Amino acid sequence: MTGTISKGRLWTARVISGISILFMLLDSTMKLFKPTFVVDSTVSLGYQEHHIFLIGILGLFATILYALPRTSILGAVLLTGYFGGVIATQIRVDAPLFSTILFPVYLAVLVWGGLWLRNEQVRKLFSLQR
């Protein structure tokens, strides 16, 4: 929903959303193809190798929903849940706070920020005014 927003705001929203979409597409497809470094790093987080494909499918599904304008809000909600799981996993293995534990928070800010900029319904929902 891009009703009456400026071209600058729309392009800023597209770039911000695009960054998060591209990152998640890369992350998800790497989990689907399972190169050695992905398997090693995921197993070191406590997951078994057969979980990696499912994690990739879930991330890809949420990302595709986010990328489609009609389902972008549902996609953002699902990505937020996905990022919550990433945070919980990183906390469990005592990862560094700012570079690793909070990285999914940074991605969630990009996801919701891009959506907020381009979607009037989201701006109304998260408005500081009454």
Side-chain angles (χ1 to χ4, degrees):
M1 191 169 195
T2 57
T4 58
I5 64 174
S6 70
K7 283 187 177 187
R9 174 185 261 180
L10 180 60
W11 277 103
T12 302
R14 287 177 177 167
V15 168
I16 290 172
S17 295
I19 290 169
S20 55
I21 290 168
L22 287 175
F23 178 82
M24 285 304 299
L25 286 175
L26 176 67
D27 180 69
S28 297
T29 55
M30 294 300 275
K31 285 179 175 55
L32 297 180
F33 291 107
K34 299 196 297 187
T36 304
F37 73 93
V38 171
V39 172
D40 293 343
S41 62
T42 307
V43 169
S44 73
L45 293 173
Y47 294 100
Q48 296 195 12
E49 185 175 345
H50 68 274
H51 294 140
I52 299 171
F53 186 80
L54 177 60
I55 294 169
I57 291 292
L58 293 173
L60 185 62
F61 179 70
T63 302
I64 291 170
L65 288 177
Y66 176 70
L68 299 172
R70 292 175 76 75
T71 58
S72 59
I73 294 173
L74 175 60
V77 170
L78 292 175
L79 282 171
T80 303
Y82 183 91
F83 296 149
V86 174
I87 291 168
T89 299
Q90 296 297 338
I91 288 173
R92 192 178 59 74
V93 296
D94 287 327
L97 178 64
F98 292 104
S99 63
T100 308
I101 293 174
L102 292 181
F103 185 75
V105 174
Y106 308 147
L107 279 175
V109 168
L110 289 177
V111 165
W112 283 101
L115 195 54
W116 185 88
L117 286 170
R118 73 177 192 265
N119 189 306
E120 187 177 343
Q121 293 173 320
V122 174
R123 281 194 301 279
K124 286 180 181 178
L125 181 65
F126 293 113
S127 175
L128 299 176
Q129 301 173 355
R130 291 204 173 242

